[in-house]
Amino acid sequence: MAESAYILSATDLPDYEQDIDHAGLITATEAWTENWDLRQRATTIYRTTCFSCHGKEGIPGTLPDARPFWDEELKNGHDPYAMYQTISRGFGHMPPQLHLTPRQKYEVIAYIREVLIKPNNPDQYFQV
């Protein structure tokens, strides 16, 4: 995605965002089916941070232009790293979610991918 499409530039992010093991965090959250604690944390993050705008299958979010992950193409890429950039830097009407740690961002990405996208919108599921 074009750099100008983000709300924040990479240099606007906190210093710790400049040196993250993205591959390691993606790999850790790919253990979705074996890790009950990960699933619980990710579900809580989605419900408290994402649900009100994005909703879930059968329950629309409050913002008409918020992406329904289970039904539409993701605007800014559907691989975990692209989703991380959208969460971290914001995109369109979605503000950056700076209150989430990198691990929390990848946990909620795992939730979105495994619960909302994979079973309902498989064309948008990126195989890691």
Side-chain angles (χ1 to χ4, degrees):
M1 186 56 53
E3 189 68 23
S4 62
Y6 293 109
I7 293 172
L8 297 178
S9 72
T11 58
D12 291 329
L13 296 174
D15 289 342
Y16 67 82
E17 287 279 359
Q18 308 307 319
D19 188 32
I20 294 173
D21 178 11
H22 290 279
L25 288 170
I26 291 168
T27 300
T29 57
E30 285 296 300
W32 176 264
T33 56
E34 298 105 35
N35 190 327
W36 175 254
D37 290 336
L38 166 64
R39 290 192 322 239
Q40 287 297 104
R41 286 191 312 269
T43 300
T44 298
I45 294 166
Y46 188 83
R47 288 178 180 167
T48 60
T49 302
C50 313
F51 174 78
S52 65
C53 295
H54 290 279
K56 67 177 191 173
E57 189 177 18
I59 304 174
T62 58
L63 295 179
D65 62 344
R67 191 62 46 202
F69 303 112
W70 57 94
D71 190 40
E72 294 182 14
E73 181 178 336
L74 276 67
K75 291 181 183 179
N76 201 28
H78 61 277
D79 66 273
Y81 181 75
M83 295 171 74
Y84 184 92
Q85 293 300 311
T86 298
I87 291 170
S88 297
R89 298 168 64 189
F91 184 84
H93 292 280
M94 181 178 158
Q97 302 299 309
L98 298 176
H99 66 284
L100 296 175
T101 67
R103 179 170 301 279
Q104 290 171 321
K105 292 172 192 175
Y106 277 115
E107 288 173 350
V108 77
I109 288 166
Y111 176 91
I112 293 166
R113 287 170 33 79
E114 299 299 326
V115 174
L116 301 174
I117 295 175
K118 187 176 185 178
N120 304 303
N121 195 5
D123 289 345
Q124 289 297 295
Y125 186 78
F126 183 87
Q127 188 67 41
V128 175

